[in-house]
Amino acid sequence: RRQRQMCIRDSSLTKPSSARGYQAISNVVHYVAKIGDVSYITLQEAINAANKGDTIVLTADTLKKIIELTETVTIDKPITIDVNDCTIMSKGEAPIFNVNENEILTLQGKGTLANRIEVNSGGTLNLEGDVNITSNGTSSDTEAPVVNRGTVNVMSVRNELTIYCDESAIFNLTEKGYVTTLNLTQGQKSIANLNGVVGTLVLRHYDKADTIAGEKFKADKLTLIPAGSLWDDLTDPEKAVEDVVMIQG
């Protein structure tokens, strides 16, 4: 099922100005990922070859460890990706990962995703490392670095996370989760279960969304930003918190 690939795709000869001979210039195939001891030229190729539950380690054997995608990578099975200090860049404003319904993507290690992740309804994203996720788009909630229509679980210490939870999506900050700055926007009927620690929580809250703080939740600073018609007549932050944030314990 998994076959090793040759390191050299092709080569060409060029005649140097000294005219003393020919210099071979090789067009080397750069691998971007591996499963076990098998390497792959594209990330999508590695995902296609992976079994359920496999761990894909990014290698990016190029200078600066940059992986440039030509199209969005589709997650169609439960897999783990160790970003391994690499940077993944997408073409234009296309998302880097699209997690399908009923599938699970677990991100481990450190590195950078230079565009957003989209989690479809029924899909799950587990954040276990400290992968920096940014976005090329800034004009709407659906261009946030993480667009959640399913479930997102934060299970580790990380510096910053900006996430938009669409209607009926679920966001879980577990007891092991610590986020220095969490920018959380909750769409209608979405649920945020906060059980970890946040340095600064910036919360935007739409109609009928629930933010539930568990017994072990702690935040040093809370900033509330009005969003949606529910906030039209609410100008007192304390009243707003009382109305939309449920504190348990």
Side-chain angles (χ1 to χ4, degrees):
R1 182 175 60 84
R2 301 174 182 163
Q3 297 180 350
R4 293 185 178 277
Q5 313 226 7
M6 295 182 64
C7 291
I8 304 298
R9 178 174 291 160
D10 57 54
S11 62
S12 59
L13 295 178
T14 181
K15 193 171 184 178
S17 58
S18 63
R20 291 184 178 181
Y22 289 85
Q23 178 183 0
I25 299 178
S26 298
N27 184 7
V28 179
V29 174
H30 291 289
Y31 296 126
V32 302
K34 66 179 181 179
I35 304 173
D37 61 353
V38 181
S39 297
Y40 298 90
I41 296 173
T42 70
L43 183 51
Q44 187 67 67
E45 183 183 64
I47 291 171
N48 294 343
N51 291 318
K52 293 181 179 180
D54 274 353
T55 296
I56 298 171
V57 179
L58 302 188
T59 55
D61 58 348
T62 60
L63 293 176
K64 299 183 180 180
K65 299 188 74 172
I66 295 175
I67 299 172
E68 295 181 306
L69 303 178
T70 58
E71 58 186 4
T72 298
V73 173
T74 299
I75 306 300
D76 59 359
K77 65 192 71 172
I79 59 169
T80 296
I81 295 178
D82 183 347
V83 180
N84 192 27
D85 292 317
C86 293
T87 296
I88 307 178
M89 304 178 67
S90 66
K91 187 175 182 179
E93 297 185 0
I96 288 178
F97 292 120
N98 193 321
V99 183
N100 282 354
E101 181 180 4
N102 300 323
E103 306 303 347
I104 302 172
L105 170 61
T106 300
L107 288 181
Q108 296 180 341
K110 294 185 177 182
T112 298
L113 304 186
N115 212 343
R116 68 188 183 278
I117 300 176
E118 294 192 355
V119 182
N120 291 322
S121 177
T124 300
L125 171 65
N126 295 324
L127 297 175
E128 292 188 352
D130 187 12
V131 178
N132 181 35
I133 308 170
T134 63
S135 176
N136 289 338
T138 58
S139 60
S140 67
D141 290 332
T142 55
E143 293 180 330
V146 178
V147 177
N148 178 27
R149 299 181 178 92
T151 300
V152 172
N153 302 308
V154 177
M155 310 163 75
S156 61
V157 176
R158 54 185 305 111
N159 184 41
E160 182 175 353
L161 177 64
T162 298
I163 179 170
Y164 168 65
C165 294
D166 207 349
E167 183 174 353
S168 300
I170 299 173
F171 173 77
N172 296 313
L173 177 65
T174 69
E175 292 183 6
K176 294 181 179 180
Y178 178 94
V179 185
T180 301
T181 303
L182 175 59
N183 300 296
L184 173 61
T185 299
Q186 290 189 245
Q188 294 185 8
K189 300 180 181 179
S190 65
I191 298 174
N193 297 301
L194 306 179
N195 294 292
V197 178
V198 178
T200 298
L201 172 60
V202 180
L203 177 63
R204 296 178 66 235
H205 212 283
Y206 285 90
D207 193 10
K208 298 180 180 179
D210 288 331
T211 306
I212 304 172
E215 292 182 1
K216 295 187 177 182
F217 171 69
K218 179 182 177 181
D220 295 330
K221 181 179 179 181
L222 171 63
T223 300
L224 295 168
I225 301 176
S229 59
L230 177 68
W231 294 80
D232 287 348
D233 298 322
L234 299 181
T235 57
D236 182 350
E238 293 184 2
K239 182 176 185 300
V241 171
E242 181 181 352
D243 284 351
V244 301
V245 179
M246 295 189 296
I247 306 297
Q248 296 183 342

